[in-house]
Amino acid sequence: MSPSSITCSRFAIIAAAAVLLQSLGLSLFIFGFFPTKPALSGVSGPESFRAPWPNGVGNDSAAALPPEELKRLYQELSEISPPFDRLILMVVDGLPAEFVLGRDDKPPREAFVEAMPYTQSLLANGFAVGYHAKAAPPTVTMPCLKAMVSGAIGGFLDVALNFNTQALQDDNIIGQFFRTGRKMVMHGDDTWLKLFPGSFIRHDGVSSFFVKDTVQVDQNVSRHLDEELCRDDWDLLILHYLGLDHVGHLGGRNSFLMGPKLKEMDEVIEMIHQSSLRDKKNHQTGTLLVIVSDHGMTESGNHGGSSFEETDSLAVFVDLGDHTLDHASATDNSANQIDIAATVALLFNVPIPKNNIGVVIPHALNFMTDAEKMRALELNSWQLLRLLQAQLSGLPCEHVLVEENTGDTKSVVTECGGNIEQVFCCLYQNAAVLHRSWKFKRIFVSNIEDYKSAAAAYYVFLRTASQWLARRMTDKPVGLLVVGISAMILSCLIFLGLVFHLNEALYVREDHQISSLKKYAFSWHLDEIFLMGATLIHVISMGSSSMVEEEQYIWYFVSSTFYLLLIRKTAQTILADRTQSSVGLSLSLNGKISYPIISLFSVLVSGRILRAWHQGGINWVNLPDISKWLKLAGHEYVKRLWLLACLSVIILSIYVLIFLWTRRKMVLVVGFSFFIPGLMVLKYIISHEDDTSGSFTYSYGSTVSAQKIYRVLGALTVVAVVAVPWLIHIWTSKACSNGDICLSTSGSHDILKLPPLMEMRDSFYVIGWAYIFCWCLLQLLLQQPTNSLPVLLLLVQIYASMLHSFSALPAHKHWIEVAALYQLGMAGHFALGNSNSLATIDVAGAFIGASDFSMLSSGVLMFIITYASPLLFLLSMPMWISVKDFNCLVTLRNANLGDLLKMMLGFPCVIPLCLNSVTLTAYTIILLLMRNHLFIWSVFSPKYLYVAAATVCVYLGVFIIASTGTYIYLVTFIGKDKIRSFNGGMR
């Protein structure tokens, strides 16, 4: 096959079409697979206080009633005397219940107990009862707040919407309070203002994403507290404190700021409690204080996943009146976050939200009489029955209920079996029968055993229904999923075909003879076989939840073993005396092993250190590693390492520019220009000591410095890309007109002596170097200080790989070298502390240099931090292009500039697309097969979000490579005569 069988432009069109096809398939699959939770339209009204049967629904026009009349109607229909008139909802963002209640029957750590003495006294004396209120993943603020106020579990993709909160349309207790005329006030996280616009008579919102602020963000809430507690014009006061969550993001659970922040929250609780006790003495209305958290946090202070530490949210009900809670009876202190909505609704005589799947918390009913408790359970059961009717058509419960009961329940309470509809109806029937029996008997005598039996039966039904509804998702459109997967499979096959074409075009001569190159093109070597086998093993391993959680070990093994094979192959080539150099770099001084072997060993040693830097993943994250040792050593050692890494990056990069590029005059200009941002980063590290200690208090100076660094790095990169090809073009033209040697490197064929090819190589080299250097400086600024040395090690791996590619060894095919760089990028992704859990996303770094919250800028920085390593290795591809030669094209009679450009850009663009496409397509199929797996939303779905984000990362990197190469080509060959002359020279 001649390489011209697919022209460069046609090749680009096919590749672009495959990318668009893959993007379409991915979009269709995500749209079809990830659920939108089952929801009933509208809001609950008076009908929620009646049985959900046709003869139990009245003909109400409640929507036309004024708020006060609607409030009285609800109180009359509920048959429950409201124990409280006002509610204070205090949200302590990120507070794990373990800090307050302990874990596994063990008390909290002594430091936490000492930090919250007043709260602990309330719990110990029975004036409060606390719960481990399990939150549903994803454990981020917005979906957790939705769960608390609506009683419904949010859709999984709410994690993406968390950064762009929209008004909540589902029925919720805030809306119910608003419709009944209750006045509401909110101070704290402005997520509440976005979810419920226009609902509050007063508010003071602060951004929840500016995590560098641990002080002012809470002072903005507390400064209103004295005034609000003295007012009587509100019925609901929401206080959302963000400081503790920010402390966690910056320093983890063990941050030295955690104790003082807990003490601050304890003082707020004491202030509210004491104020409400004074109000009660003055015969004012009763106020209920509910202390909740939206989620917990990992040891590193992050959240978003499904581990116990992240889902362990808090719910504490503090009785501020005469209704002392029976704390001793609270043997079971576990609940669900979704239970809060139903509990609050029943305590304040508003309808339970229509899509609530939560169950009223048992001990919160201690404020009520036995009859009111049974009524509350009945109302909760009716509300869940309505949801079941919507999900299970033809639910026959209304046809089997016994309307009257004589008191003999033994003949009607039955064992429940059969299909799911029959089980639900049977469980509800048993509870309803026992309820009627208890009501009938209590007319004559109070029987506590009958009450307990009826309540227990209700809870069996409620919890069974709640668990089933929590797992229930909308039916997935199979046709849409099949179309999406088919599109991805087709695009994957296209990418594989393009790789085959590139390999054949590079090594097969036009005369179709069985040449040595042709044999080499179609022969399989050990490194290639290993790469194919490793890819297959990686794909198969993704079907195991444990392997998904610990995926980093696969990449560590594959990358290290692959480079060991490259060392073996290189050594065999050197010993066989088949080495050659196409770019004039001597392999050894006396024929001994030199640059190729040393460079590969450098990659392996760096990779081993990176492997030990973070105990990534999920299950073994608590094991010792280098980063933990550094944190224990103290921030002074971390800072010194940070400075050392930054200096090493600058020195190594300047050395590489001088050592491998021979245009000495331009080296001085380029090196000096890029030395400036390096000094700025050094100054930033030296000047802002707090940034290594974990305090990260808001500093105007550090913010301005970071913003200046962003601007300088961005400007220099753009200038380098735009100006370098022109400068080299002008320099080469002058040199050649003066009769100078028009070579930046020596070569074995006349094609290398053509000035346009020299210009392209030098332009690729300098621009690739600029990409790498600026990206490393940016990562030294954004990454956690403990990740500074890993950034340096990743840079060492890149330069060592380039040095190996620079040597003229015919032992490795081009696609193998690109694949090796891709593997290093993925291994480095996990070496920087990332995992397949959303909890490892570095939120704190996304606000370095931010003076105010911007969803776009913070999202971009978060993406840059998370995919630092894969993007770094993709950005190194222009340098790889500059150090490779394509001499075999010279032998082709019909080869032209288009073929050369296709070879230069084809491998670094198509190989990453192909490898990512294989992973994406295979994991999409696995996700579909695992759709009913127990860990589908906690393990497999977060991994798929990472796969989708990695796809975006590859698209971005390939776009930069292709755009850079196209621009260099346009600048280098600016005249048609020059193109014709070059093509003639190739022939």
Side-chain angles (χ1 to χ4, degrees):
M1 176 187 287
S2 170
S4 59
S5 60
I6 299 181
T7 64
C8 183
S9 57
R10 184 178 299 177
F11 185 90
I13 292 173
I14 293 174
V19 169
L20 292 176
L21 185 64
Q22 187 179 80
S23 302
L24 176 62
L26 178 61
S27 301
L28 291 175
F29 185 85
I30 290 177
F31 178 79
F33 184 85
F34 288 102
T36 55
K37 63 181 187 310
L40 299 178
S41 59
V43 298
S44 295
E47 77 283 351
S48 65
F49 297 100
R50 302 188 181 96
W53 322 128
N55 60 357
V57 178
N59 187 15
D60 298 300
S61 57
L65 292 177
E68 287 300 325
E69 291 186 22
L70 188 62
K71 180 180 178 181
R72 286 194 295 269
L73 175 63
Y74 286 162
Q75 183 170 342
E76 177 184 344
L77 293 174
S78 70
E79 302 176 12
I80 299 174
S81 301
F84 303 103
D85 292 326
R86 303 207 300 179
L87 171 65
I88 298 177
L89 182 64
M90 179 180 175
V91 184
V92 184
D93 203 297
L95 175 61
E98 180 182 351
F99 286 11
V100 180
L101 305 176
R103 179 177 178 180
D104 299 331
D105 297 327
K106 297 179 181 178
R109 285 167 47 184
E110 184 177 351
F112 296 151
V113 173
E114 294 175 352
M116 304 189 76
Y118 195 83
T119 304
Q120 292 297 331
S121 69
L122 291 176
L123 292 167
N125 296 324
F127 290 101
V129 61
Y131 296 91
H132 292 266
K134 184 179 180 181
T139 47
V140 292
T141 296
M142 187 268 287
C144 289
L145 292 184
K146 283 185 178 181
M148 276 192 277
V149 299
S150 68
I153 297 175
F156 185 81
L157 290 183
D158 276 345
V159 68
L161 302 177
N162 187 56
F163 298 96
N164 187 25
T165 304
Q166 304 295 324
L168 179 59
Q169 302 298 325
D170 291 347
D171 192 11
N172 58 85
I173 57 174
I174 303 298
Q176 292 291 353
F177 274 35
F178 184 79
R179 281 184 287 275
T180 53
R182 289 177 167 89
K183 303 296 189 294
M184 294 177 287
V185 178
M186 195 289 300
H187 298 296
D189 186 355
D190 60 2
T191 303
W192 291 92
L193 303 179
K194 298 173 183 177
L195 286 173
F196 311 105
S199 298
F200 304 103
I201 60 174
R202 286 187 304 278
H203 57 79
D204 184 9
V206 295
S207 174
S208 61
F209 295 103
F210 194 67
V211 299
K212 289 167 60 177
D213 179 13
T214 64
V215 179
Q216 192 64 41
V217 71
D218 285 345
Q219 290 180 353
N220 283 341
V221 180
S222 295
R223 65 191 177 97
H224 299 285
L225 197 53
D226 282 332
E227 181 183 358
E228 293 295 352
L229 292 176
C230 293
R231 289 175 176 264
D232 60 359
D233 63 341
W234 53 264
D235 301 290
L236 170 60
L237 174 61
I238 298 174
L239 306 169
H240 192 138
Y241 288 91
L242 292 161
L244 188 137
D245 179 66
H246 292 183
V247 168
H249 280 299
L250 297 172
R253 283 190 173 208
N254 299 317
S255 170
F256 67 92
L257 295 175
M258 189 62 72
K261 182 57 66 176
L262 290 172
K263 179 65 175 175
E264 180 184 346
M265 296 297 98
D266 191 64
E267 291 171 353
V268 172
I269 295 171
E270 181 179 7
M271 182 187 299
I272 298 172
H273 188 212
Q274 293 297 328
S275 174
S276 299
L277 288 178
R278 288 193 299 269
D279 292 343
K280 190 63 178 178
K281 290 180 180 178
N282 295 331
H283 306 289
Q284 296 185 12
T285 55
T287 304
L288 174 65
L289 171 61
V290 180
I291 307 163
V292 298
S293 62
D294 49 353
H295 50 73
M297 65 173 67
T298 62
E299 286 296 323
S300 61
N302 292 322
H303 54 88
S306 58
S307 67
F308 174 84
E309 289 77 12
E310 295 162 89
T311 60
D312 184 32
S313 64
L314 178 70
V316 175
F317 292 81
V318 181
D319 176 23
L320 306 178
D322 297 328
H323 308 280
T324 302
L325 286 168
D326 184 9
H327 184 66
S329 65
T331 54
D332 183 10
N333 65 346
S334 61
N336 291 310
Q337 196 174 66
I338 53 177
D339 298 339
I340 295 173
T343 303
V344 170
L346 291 169
L347 288 174
F348 286 87
N349 288 148
V350 295
I352 299 175
K354 202 162 195 174
N355 293 291
N356 165 77
I357 61 173
V359 177
V360 60
I361 296 175
H363 297 96
L365 301 182
N366 285 354
F367 305 106
M368 305 176 185
T369 65
D370 288 349
E372 289 174 338
K373 293 176 185 177
M374 296 301 295
R375 175 62 171 168
L377 294 174
E378 183 179 52
L379 293 175
N380 197 178
S381 299
W382 287 349
Q383 184 267 324
L384 290 186
L385 274 172
R386 287 185 173 88
L387 281 181
L388 291 174
Q389 286 176 325
Q391 294 295 317
L392 300 170
S393 58
L395 197 68
C397 298
E398 66 270 27
H399 304 301
V400 299
L401 288 179
V402 178
E403 296 297 334
E404 299 294 337
N405 195 326
T406 61
D408 183 10
T409 62
K410 293 183 180 180
S411 59
V412 250
V413 175
T414 60
E415 292 291 332
C416 297
N419 58 35
I420 190 66
E421 291 91 345
Q422 294 171 335
V423 170
F424 283 136
C425 290
C426 175
L427 291 175
Y428 176 76
Q429 177 188 3
N430 288 343
V433 166
L434 291 172
H435 185 187
R436 291 192 183 91
S437 174
W438 174 79
K439 286 197 295 186
F440 178 80
K441 290 183 177 180
R442 72 188 289 266
I443 299 175
F444 306 102
V445 61
S446 177
N447 191 329
I448 189 64
E449 293 301 324
D450 287 345
Y451 164 76
K452 289 182 177 180
S453 298
Y458 267 125
Y459 272 110
V460 170
F461 165 74
L462 288 169
R463 286 168 179 150
T464 304
S466 177
Q467 292 171 4
W468 185 85
L469 288 167
R471 294 192 300 266
R472 178 72 170 174
M473 296 297 175
T474 53
D475 293 333
K476 296 175 176 61
V478 177
L480 193 64
L481 298 180
V482 170
V483 171
I485 292 178
S486 301
M488 282 185 271
I489 292 175
L490 180 58
S491 66
C492 184
L493 293 176
I494 294 175
F495 287 131
L496 289 171
L498 292 177
V499 171
F500 179 82
H501 166 76
L502 286 172
N503 192 60
E504 184 182 26
L506 184 61
Y507 295 110
V508 181
R509 297 178 186 271
E510 191 183 27
D511 56 11
H512 302 285
Q513 298 298 318
I514 307 297
S515 62
S516 59
L517 283 175
K518 188 172 183 180
K519 291 180 180 179
Y520 182 69
F522 292 99
S523 61
W524 285 88
H525 301 82
L526 183 59
D527 53 352
E528 300 168 68
I529 296 173
F530 174 79
L531 179 63
M532 300 298 293
T535 303
L536 180 62
I537 292 173
H538 176 238
V539 166
I540 295 175
S541 71
M542 292 298 98
S544 165
S545 61
S546 298
M547 294 304 297
V548 170
E549 291 176 330
E550 309 300 332
E551 183 186 359
Q552 71 278 0
Y553 294 119
I554 295 178
W555 288 109
Y556 294 149
F557 168 76
V558 170
S559 60
S560 59
T561 306
F562 188 69
Y563 270 84
L564 279 174
L565 294 176
L566 291 184
I567 289 179
R568 172 184 174 273
K569 195 171 185 179
T570 302
Q572 289 176 339
T573 305
I574 293 177
L575 294 175
D577 197 26
R578 291 189 290 119
T579 59
Q580 54 183 324
S581 177
S582 63
V583 287
L585 180 64
S586 175
L587 291 179
S588 64
L589 297 176
N590 298 309
K592 297 180 181 180
I593 296 175
S594 182
Y595 290 118
I597 299 295
I598 293 175
S599 61
L600 291 176
F601 267 115
S602 300
V603 173
L604 283 173
V605 172
S606 301
R608 185 61 189 89
I609 299 174
L610 287 169
R611 160 68 181 82
W613 204 266
H614 285 284
Q615 280 292 350
I618 298 173
N619 297 319
W620 313 108
V621 70
N622 294 323
L623 293 180
D625 54 39
I626 298 176
S627 65
K628 294 186 180 70
W629 293 341
L630 283 173
K631 290 178 181 178
L632 290 175
H635 70 272
E636 282 297 329
Y637 291 95
V638 176
K639 183 179 179 181
R640 291 171 189 171
L641 190 65
W642 196 6
L643 284 169
L644 177 63
C646 186
L647 278 171
S648 301
V649 166
I650 296 172
I651 294 172
L652 179 62
S653 297
I654 298 298
Y655 176 77
V656 167
L657 182 66
I658 296 173
F659 181 65
L660 294 181
W661 193 41
T662 60
R663 299 186 189 277
R664 300 296 179 178
K665 294 181 180 179
M666 291 192 65
V667 165
L668 296 177
V669 176
V670 175
F672 177 77
S673 299
F674 283 89
F675 192 65
I676 295 174
L679 293 178
M680 294 176 69
V681 174
L682 276 174
K683 182 177 179 296
Y684 180 91
I685 297 172
I686 296 171
S687 302
H688 305 289
E689 181 177 355
D690 287 344
D691 289 0
T692 62
S693 63
S695 61
F696 283 94
T697 53
Y698 177 79
S699 169
Y700 178 76
S702 64
T703 299
V704 172
S705 298
Q707 291 174 349
K708 289 180 180 178
I709 295 172
Y710 294 154
R711 296 189 188 101
V712 172
L713 285 175
L716 278 177
T717 304
V718 172
V719 169
V721 173
V722 174
V724 164
W726 288 101
L727 293 174
I728 292 177
H729 175 68
I730 295 172
W731 190 94
T732 303
S733 299
K734 289 182 178 180
C736 291
S737 65
N738 295 331
D740 296 340
I741 297 176
C742 301
L743 269 175
S744 62
T745 55
S746 62
S748 60
H749 199 281
D750 288 341
I751 186 176
L752 294 177
K753 299 180 181 180
L754 295 174
L757 183 59
M758 293 164 34
E759 294 177 28
M760 291 186 69
R761 286 179 175 276
D762 289 341
S763 298
F764 272 118
Y765 185 86
V766 180
I767 293 175
W769 176 89
Y771 283 156
I772 295 169
F773 184 47
C774 289
W775 189 259
C776 287
L777 290 179
L778 180 63
Q779 294 304 324
L780 287 171
L781 181 67
L782 295 177
Q783 293 282 342
Q784 293 290 332
T786 52
N787 275 347
S788 56
L789 190 59
V791 172
L792 172 62
L793 294 174
L794 292 174
L795 181 64
V796 169
Q797 287 187 324
I798 285 179
Y799 286 150
S801 298
M802 295 301 149
L803 187 61
H804 178 259
S805 297
F806 201 44
S807 58
L809 287 171
H812 314 310
K813 296 178 183 177
H814 287 58
W815 74 273
I816 284 291
E817 293 187 6
V818 176
L821 289 170
Y822 179 85
Q823 289 177 347
L824 289 179
M826 292 307 300
H829 171 73
F830 294 100
L832 289 175
N834 296 295
S835 72
N836 287 326
S837 169
L838 300 177
T840 53
I841 296 177
D842 184 7
V843 179
F847 297 92
I848 294 176
S851 55
D852 196 5
F853 172 68
S854 170
M855 182 186 68
L856 178 61
S857 61
S858 298
V860 170
L861 289 178
M862 205 175 300
F863 181 82
I864 288 173
I865 295 170
T866 304
Y867 287 93
S869 178
L871 278 171
L872 176 61
F873 281 86
L874 286 171
L875 291 175
S876 70
M877 290 302 171
M879 181 178 283
W880 178 86
I881 294 173
S882 71
V883 300
K884 296 306 296 179
D885 77 89
F886 300 89
N887 275 336
C888 53
L889 283 177
V890 181
T891 62
L892 300 176
R893 275 185 232 124
N894 295 327
N896 54 32
L897 177 63
D899 295 323
L900 183 64
L901 185 64
K902 182 175 66 175
M903 292 300 110
M904 283 184 168
L905 297 181
F907 283 103
C909 288
V910 175
I911 295 300
L913 286 171
C914 182
L915 293 174
N916 179 78
S917 180
V918 171
T919 302
L920 174 65
T921 305
Y923 193 73
T924 301
I925 297 173
I926 289 173
L927 187 68
L928 185 62
L929 296 176
M930 295 292 175
R931 62 189 181 277
N932 296 319
H933 195 280
L934 179 63
F935 300 141
I936 182 62
W937 302 119
S938 58
V939 176
F940 292 103
S941 293
K943 166 61 181 174
Y944 196 74
L945 293 185
Y946 275 105
V947 171
T951 301
V952 175
C953 170
V954 171
Y955 288 168
L956 179 62
V958 168
F959 175 77
I960 293 174
I961 298 168
S963 300
T964 302
T966 303
Y967 177 74
I968 292 173
Y969 160 75
L970 293 175
V971 173
T972 305
F973 299 91
I974 55 178
K976 293 183 179 179
D977 293 339
K978 195 170 186 179
I979 295 176
R980 286 195 294 268
S981 175
F982 183 82
N983 289 337
M986 290 186 68
R987 296 186 180 92

